Amino acid sequence: MEVQGKIKMIGETQTFGSNGFRKRELVVTTEEQYPQHILVEFVQDKTDLLNNYQVGQGVKVNINLRGREWVNPQGETKYFNSVQGWRIENLQASADNMPPAAPAEAFEPATNLNEEDHDDLPF
């Protein structure tokens, strides 16, 4: 799955526990009628993927949905979801890599038209 939008916030890398678990958060604001602010977590070595990005950039983020179960001390079961990023691309860079469209003047007008040929196209 993927999320597209503009970067609203890039958090600092956080380290947890004695094993050095790393996490970094990114908020992407979608560009639609009702924009959504989606929090995406990058973990471990993926935290470094955010180093070359800045607030305001248009990006496409590939994500996985993660869910986990937790039983609290009172014996109640709770469920938590997270959105985990594993790849990020600059949208402007992908648009720049598109081949340019040929200008209209590059095409010569047709000269061999026969007005009596039947046009059977349905539109």
Side-chain angles (χ1 to χ4, degrees):
M1 292 192 269
E2 65 185 41
V3 174
Q4 287 190 21
K6 289 198 186 289
I7 296 175
K8 181 174 183 156
M9 185 275 298
I10 301 175
E12 295 296 320
T13 302
Q14 301 171 316
T15 305
F16 301 94
S18 58
N19 63 354
F21 177 81
R22 296 187 311 150
K23 178 174 97 167
R24 192 168 183 189
E25 296 178 335
L26 168 80
V27 175
V28 175
T29 302
T30 62
E31 296 175 334
E32 52 195 351
Q33 183 177 2
Y34 301 105
Q36 301 296 306
H37 306 287
I38 309 295
L39 175 70
V40 181
E41 298 175 342
F42 287 77
V43 297
Q44 299 298 72
D45 61 329
K46 301 296 183 193
T47 60
D48 296 333
L49 295 176
L50 301 178
N51 291 344
N52 298 321
Y53 291 90
Q54 300 172 9
V55 171
Q57 269 184 290
V59 292
K60 176 171 72 170
V61 182
N62 293 88
I63 60 169
N64 289 325
L65 294 177
R66 298 284 185 218
R68 62 189 176 282
E69 180 180 85
W70 175 69
V71 179
N72 69 14
Q74 292 77 31
E76 299 170 324
T77 302
K78 305 278 184 176
Y79 296 92
F80 298 92
N81 297 321
S82 62
V83 178
Q84 203 168 83
W86 54 275
R87 183 189 317 166
I88 183 169
E89 297 176 46
N90 184 352
L91 281 180
Q92 186 61 40
S94 16
D96 290 343
N97 291 336
M98 295 284 294
E105 59 269 7
F107 298 99
E108 294 180 24
T111 57
N112 60 349
L113 289 178
N114 184 349
E115 295 293 330
E116 295 173 17
D117 282 345
H118 177 65
D119 182 4
D120 61 352
L121 293 177
F123 47 88

